[in-house]
Amino acid sequence: MTQQTYLWNPQPVFSLPVQGSEARLPVKRIFCVGRNYHAHAIEMERPVDKATMRPFYFIKDASTLVQSGETVPYPTGTQNYHYEMELVVAIGRSGFRVTEADAGELIYGYAAGLDMTRRDLQLVAREQGRPWDLGKNFEKSAVCSEIVPAGERGVLETGAINLAVNGQTKQSSDLSKLIWNIRELIVDLSQFYHLEPGDLIYTGTPEGVGAVKSGDVITGHVDGVGDVRLTVGAPE
C-alpha cells in the first residue's frame, strides 16, 4: 500500500480525559442545543413552545475544544463575551433513527461544559437571519471537564446545574427543567445525523447568562457529573 502524503500535517485528534481511565475520549463533533430551558429562552426573548416546535442545533468544530482548568484569551471581535453552563452528553455507540427506548444505549458518559459565546455577534447574526458561526463556533469556545462514564447513572433526569463568576452564583437550575430531555435530544438528532462515538451534545443552558471580562474565573458544577473551570485571560 502506498503511504499517503499531505501538503501539511493533518489536524490532530482532539480528546478529553476519562475519569478512572488512562485512555482519552477522541472528540468527533460537538452538537449544541439552543434554548433548551424555558427561563433562558425567555431571557433571550425567544420563548419556546414544545408542542409546536422541535429542538434546534448549532455545531462547534472539535478544534474549539478547551479542557477544564485552562486560561483562554479574551476573544477578538466582541465586546460581550458570555458564559453558558451546560451538561454535556458523550456518545459512545453509533446510532441512526434510534427510538426513545434505545437512546440511552448510545450514551458513554457525561461532562460539565461551557458554551462560550460572542453574544453581540450572535445577536447581530440572529436579527439578520444569518448563521451564528462568528458568535458560537470560534477558537477555544467549547470548554469541557473530564468525561464521567455513565455506568449506573444511566440517563440523567435530574441534578443541580450551576455556575459562578469569581465565586458569585450566576446560574442555578436543575436538569429536570430541560425542555427536551437527553433521550429526546438523541432521538431527534439521530433523525438527521448518524451519531458516532465521540460526538458530544451540549444540552443547553439555564437562565442567568452574562458577560465576563479579562481576569474573571468561571466555575460550574453538575451534580453527579463534576466541575468545570475557566479563567479569562487578556486579549491577544
Side-chain angles (χ1 to χ4, degrees), residues 6-28:
Y6 301 94
L7 291 175
W8 46 79
N9 291 332
Q11 183 171 275
V13 175
F14 296 94
S15 64
L16 290 166
V18 177
Q19 187 181 85
S21 174
E22 294 183 0
R24 295 176 67 90
L25 184 143
V27 174
K28 182 176 177 66

Side-chain angles (χ1 to χ4, degrees), residues 20-51:
S21 174
E22 294 183 0
R24 295 176 67 90
L25 184 143
V27 174
K28 182 176 177 66
R29 294 172 293 191
I30 302 174
F31 297 100
C32 302
V33 184
R35 300 198 298 269
N36 201 22
Y37 287 81
H38 282 297
H40 173 61
I42 291 170
E43 78 176 346
M44 295 303 293
E45 300 180 348
R46 292 293 191 275
V48 171
D49 179 4
K50 187 177 181 179

Side-chain angles (χ1 to χ4, degrees), residues 3-170:
Q3 184 174 358
Q4 189 72 54
T5 59
Y6 301 94
L7 291 175
W8 46 79
N9 291 332
Q11 183 171 275
V13 175
F14 296 94
S15 64
L16 290 166
V18 177
Q19 187 181 85
S21 174
E22 294 183 0
R24 295 176 67 90
L25 184 143
V27 174
K28 182 176 177 66
R29 294 172 293 191
I30 302 174
F31 297 100
C32 302
V33 184
R35 300 198 298 269
N36 201 22
Y37 287 81
H38 282 297
H40 173 61
I42 291 170
E43 78 176 346
M44 295 303 293
E45 300 180 348
R46 292 293 191 275
V48 171
D49 179 4
K50 187 177 181 179
T52 60
M53 303 169 71
R54 69 184 309 158
F56 79 92
Y57 312 94
F58 54 92
I59 293 177
K60 290 177 182 268
D61 296 333
S63 62
T64 67
L65 197 65
V66 175
Q67 194 168 313
S68 174
E70 292 192 21
T71 298
V72 302
Y74 191 97
T76 59
T78 184
Q79 305 281 319
N80 199 18
Y81 181 44
H82 275 214
Y83 54 80
E84 294 190 7
M85 180 65 201
E86 312 208 4
L87 169 71
V88 180
V89 177
I91 299 298
R93 290 181 56 184
S94 299
F96 182 58
R97 295 176 178 166
V98 302
T99 66
E100 193 163 326
D102 294 335
E105 297 180 7
L106 271 62
I107 299 171
Y108 174 79
Y110 303 100
L114 299 172
D115 164 22
M116 300 303 293
T117 301
R118 294 192 283 209
R119 186 72 71 200
D120 42 3
L121 301 188
Q122 180 204 8
L123 294 181
V124 167
R126 188 184 77 178
E127 296 308 313
Q128 295 178 347
R130 295 177 176 177
W132 291 3
D133 295 79
L134 287 178
K136 289 288 191 177
N137 188 18
F138 60 95
E139 296 161 352
K140 302 183 184 299
S141 64
V143 188
C144 199
S145 70
E146 67 177 2
I147 303 294
V148 178
E152 296 181 356
R153 294 173 181 82
V155 181
L156 296 182
E157 304 285 355
T158 64
I161 178 171
N162 52 67
L163 177 143
V165 178
N166 302 325
Q168 182 177 358
T169 299
K170 300 293 186 179

